[in-house]
Amino acid sequence: MMNISALQKERAKYQPKLPKSLKGDFILVEGEKTRSVADQDEIASLFPHTYGMPVINFIEGTQPRNFDPVNVGVILSGGQAPGGHNVISGIFDGVKRIHPNSRVFGFLGGPGGLVKHEYIELNAGIVDEYRNTGGFDIIGSGRTKLEEHAQFDKGLQIIKDLGLNALIVIGGDDSNTNACVLAEYYAANKADVRVIGCPKTIDGDLKNEMIEASFGFDTATKVYSELIGNIQRDANSAKKYWHFIKLMGRSASHIGLECALKTQPNITLISEEVAEKKETLDKIVEYMAEVIANRAEHGENFGVALIPEGLVEFVPEMKILIGELNDLLAEGTKTAEIFQNVKKSYRLEWVAEKISRESAVVFKSLPPGIANQLTLDRDPHGNVQVSLIETEKLLGEMVKAKLDEMKKDDKYVGKFSTQYHFFGYEGRCAAPSNFDADYCYSLGYTAAVLAASGKTGYMSSVRSLTAPAGEWIAGGVPITMMLNMEKRHGHMKPVIQKALVDLKGAPYRYFISKRGEWALNTSYVYPGPIQYFGPTEVCDLTTETLKLEQA
Ligand code: FBP
């Protein structure tokens, strides 16, 4: 037995809520044929066995259905997100209810566990220890990308040895893209195994018409908002620091926007807006300096600024530069190999010579530390590891320089001292909020039912999320429906379209209607810690994003 805290002990007793349709007997209802979100002809030709399948809904039924035992393998893929353990407990309870002889195997350390044949069988004792807890430590996670046929075949060996009927991949957009490719490969090769995905990521960027939210976003943003609120209170007490807070979220700014809606800080940068307005780094710095100067005029030499992790990729000149660096340093290319052998002290110069003249100018203008970070190893999906770029410090230094200039021209009268923070890992393994505990359990349960119903290439989907959990709609969405063609590692590939902040969407529109007021005044909101016990108005809150989107 692990050492557990008093809260964990009490929390273990929490029984997550399920949609009504899954509590008793259910009927599977199929909708119309579907199309991919873009590039239909190309996607259809790449996925001949799994393209065009209908959306599925489970509705309450009266006819009990007899299922055979269903054996499933589970993979946790990519970055941790609160609620992963509840997805697994939902799968476990789901398959056991379908047939008590069903079995669940967990592949260890992410998708790599499938290829390396490393797994454990999950029994009730193990699953019970992890109910309603944060983390992915029940079986571990990893970022191995499943894309080679040799990996699929290796996986199939263990799938056959264990007698698995289905594989459930719990991951973000890239991992679910891989699940889709795997489903197609196994279907094409008449392998008798289904592949189902579950939408995970704190980043909130795996969402669309049918997937309203990825799990973990709710809890992670609640944790960050608690911390931001605490810092705002400190800033307002000491009145001497500007806190520059970088927030995780990779490319999209959903986390920053949600935290801003919850806490009302003075500055929140939204990467998608920067891209839309084609703002340069200088323009962003000017905006920040202006807010700081305006507050200083009212004697307020303090404040809080939220900076999305992926910002630099959205600044047009930086985006072009990063694109060129991605191509230059793409894994397996000759140039990437040469780069590895270039002397460290000469690397930045070497890179500048190999990219376009315009990008070289931008590259050379960056502080060397930042330029260096941009050339570091890519993640297994070929993306720059944005969490390594210290954007908050880059902006802090540039804002300071701008304020010094303004001071000389008598346009700024205040004092500027900064504190830097990066919130990311603090929130990824928090104990899931009630929302995430219920949502994840329902996603897992739905995945089990999809697997038992013989479906493959589907993502587990639970919708109507602002309604009470009993009214949520459970079903499955063909993953091919979410695909489009994008450039990865220098080649066009079918991938799930990332959902960035919608600048026409209600959450963003509400934010811009308020940000002027929040910039000048001290209108901070202090959300406090996640509450697991107590009144439903406090414990069962969904995100502001969902509330505004579904209002
Ligand atoms: P996923 O997309 O796999 O869910 O990961 C999300 C994330 O937390 C990003 O916000 C962040 O940029 C990245 O993972 C950090 O990666 P790592 O865990 O490898 O440090």
Side-chain angles (χ1 to χ4, degrees):
M1 185 66 183
M2 300 187 283
N3 288 329
I4 61 172
S5 66
L7 176 68
Q8 197 179 324
K9 196 168 165 199
E10 235 1 79
R11 188 67 179 155
K13 298 177 196 156
Y14 179 74
Q15 179 51 52
K17 304 178 201 87
L18 267 183
K20 259 198 300 249
S21 58
L22 294 181
K23 280 192 186 150
D25 298 315
F26 61 86
I27 302 172
L28 182 156
V29 182
E30 294 193 347
E32 302 283 303
K33 275 176 138 288
T34 55
R35 290 154 57 84
S36 60
V37 68
D39 310 309
Q40 289 86 8
D41 293 342
E42 223 162 336
I43 305 285
S45 71
L46 290 169
F47 294 86
H49 301 84
T50 50
Y51 187 81
M53 300 184 299
V55 168
I56 288 171
N57 284 334
F58 295 114
I59 60 166
E60 285 172 273
T62 45
Q63 289 288 315
R65 300 181 60 180
N66 291 323
F67 286 107
D68 291 329
V70 49
N71 298 336
V72 301
V74 180
I75 295 175
L76 288 167
S77 182
Q80 284 70 249
H85 290 159
N86 273 29
V87 179
I88 292 182
S89 59
I91 294 171
F92 185 82
D93 293 353
V95 297
K96 288 288 183 189
R97 215 195 84 208
I98 280 159
H99 198 291
N101 295 341
S102 301
R103 298 169 75 186
V104 179
F105 294 86
F107 288 100
L108 301 176
L114 177 74
V115 181
K116 291 190 261 167
H117 297 187
E118 290 171 0
Y119 63 90
I120 52 165
E121 178 160 7
L122 296 170
N123 56 34
I126 300 176
V127 172
D128 285 351
E129 272 189 36
Y130 289 90
R131 287 180 193 270
N132 308 314
T133 59
F136 277 8
D137 41 321
I138 185 169
I139 49 174
S141 184
R143 291 199 184 273
T144 303
K145 192 172 162 75
L146 291 180
E147 56 176 2
E148 309 283 331
H149 288 180
Q151 293 172 310
F152 301 169
D153 294 337
K154 229 19 198 111
L156 193 55
Q157 270 172 26
I158 190 71
I159 286 170
K160 284 186 178 157
D161 290 352
L162 296 174
L164 299 185
N165 308 102
L167 192 63
I168 300 178
V169 180
I170 303 167
D173 52 345
D174 285 325
S175 309
N176 274 285
T177 297
N178 294 166
C180 190
V181 174
L182 198 60
E184 175 65 30
Y185 182 81
Y186 287 159
N189 287 285
K190 308 213 172 349
D192 189 18
V193 60
R194 301 124 213 183
V195 184
I196 304 291
C198 270
K200 170 236 70 169
T201 179
I202 60 160
D203 300 351
D205 57 4
L206 173 46
K207 66 172 180 178
N208 49 55
E209 224 185 299
M210 307 304 291
I211 303 293
E212 293 175 4
S214 55
F215 79 75
F217 178 72
D218 182 79
T219 309
T221 51
K222 280 178 175 146
V223 173
Y224 305 143
S225 299
E226 178 203 350
L227 300 176
I228 294 163
N230 294 349
I231 284 178
Q232 288 183 157
R233 205 140 218 173
D234 195 292
N236 197 18
S237 306
K239 302 195 189 293
K240 62 176 182 184
Y241 292 126
W242 265 89
H243 293 265
F244 278 33
I245 306 175
K246 183 174 74 166
L247 290 168
M248 238 187 202
R250 209 185 285 278
S251 305
S253 307
H254 297 291
I255 291 184
L257 179 57
E258 172 64 21
C259 292
L261 295 171
K262 280 193 164 88
T263 61
Q264 306 187 178
N266 308 100
I267 295 175
T268 304
L269 301 177
I270 301 291
S271 306
E272 291 81 347
E273 180 184 358
V274 166
E276 166 95 356
K277 293 186 176 160
K278 299 194 175 27
E279 285 178 351
T280 57
L281 263 185
D282 215 51
K283 187 90 198 141
I284 297 168
V285 168
E286 220 169 76
Y287 164 70
M288 296 178 89
E290 200 179 298
V291 172
I292 293 166
N294 286 344
R295 281 179 64 79
E297 246 176 61
H298 293 83
E300 314 247 76
N301 288 302
F302 67 93
V304 168
L306 303 186
I307 299 153
E309 176 179 52
L311 181 76
V312 290
E313 282 184 290
F314 285 76
V315 176
E317 74 261 25
M318 294 293 287
K319 188 176 175 185
I320 296 171
L321 168 65
I322 289 173
E324 289 184 24
L325 293 177
N326 280 348
D327 289 347
L328 184 75
L329 303 174
E331 208 184 86
T333 57
K334 191 90 200 115
T335 41
E337 205 184 305
I338 299 173
F339 175 74
Q340 289 309 326
N341 296 320
V342 174
K343 248 175 65 198
K344 283 215 168 98
S345 55
Y346 177 63
R347 278 187 177 176
L348 297 185
E349 243 172 279
W350 183 89
V351 167
E353 281 166 13
K354 298 281 175 293
I355 53 183
S356 69
R357 198 169 331 139
E358 295 76 16
S359 289
V361 172
V362 180
F363 189 66
K364 285 185 189 159
S365 74
L366 297 172
I370 304 280
N372 208 20
Q373 278 165 353
L374 291 176
T375 65
L376 292 178
D377 289 346
R378 271 59 194 144
D379 70 12
H381 301 282
N383 308 317
V384 168
Q385 301 200 51
V386 282
S387 60
L388 301 180
I389 303 171
E390 293 181 309
T391 325
E392 70 285 19
K393 292 192 184 152
L394 171 70
L395 289 175
E397 282 171 32
M398 292 178 77
V399 166
K400 170 134 189 27
K402 177 71 74 190
L403 290 171
D404 287 345
E405 266 173 41
M406 288 166 72
K407 203 164 235 173
K408 279 190 214 141
D409 299 341
D410 291 329
K411 289 185 182 148
Y412 171 60
V413 288
K415 285 194 203 127
F416 180 66
S417 299
T418 43
Q419 293 289 344
Y420 297 114
H421 314 264
F422 170 36
F423 297 152
Y425 300 100
E426 292 81 351
R428 298 200 312 180
C429 283
S433 60
N434 281 358
F435 173 84
D436 269 328
D438 298 344
Y439 181 43
C440 291
Y441 187 77
S442 301
L443 283 173
Y445 207 98
T446 305
V449 175
L450 285 167
S453 308
K455 299 296 170 190
T456 194
Y458 276 84
M459 191 182 290
S460 172
S461 139
V462 175
R463 306 194 298 282
S464 277
L465 293 174
T466 49
E471 281 150 44
W472 289 350
I473 300 165
V477 185
I479 305 179
T480 51
M481 200 179 161
M482 304 169 202
L483 298 179
N484 71 160
M485 300 298 291
E486 283 176 27
K487 200 171 184 187
R488 293 289 166 92
H489 289 290
H491 302 285
M492 292 307 282
K493 293 249 165 96
V495 293
I496 293 179
Q497 199 174 48
K498 240 187 217 318
L500 300 177
V501 167
D502 177 5
L503 301 184
K504 295 197 181 76
Y508 172 76
R509 280 190 286 118
Y510 179 78
F511 160 73
I512 51 167
S513 74
K514 292 285 174 187
R515 76 171 154 201
E517 188 187 318
W518 299 347
L520 191 62
N521 304 321
T522 301
S523 328
Y524 304 153
V525 174
Y526 313 113
I530 295 177
Q531 300 295 309
Y532 300 97
F533 306 98
T536 185
E537 311 84 81
V538 185
C539 299
D540 294 329
L541 293 170
T542 51
T543 58
E544 297 302 312
T545 304
L546 265 179
K547 251 189 263 167
L548 288 163
E549 278 172 351
Q550 298 193 3

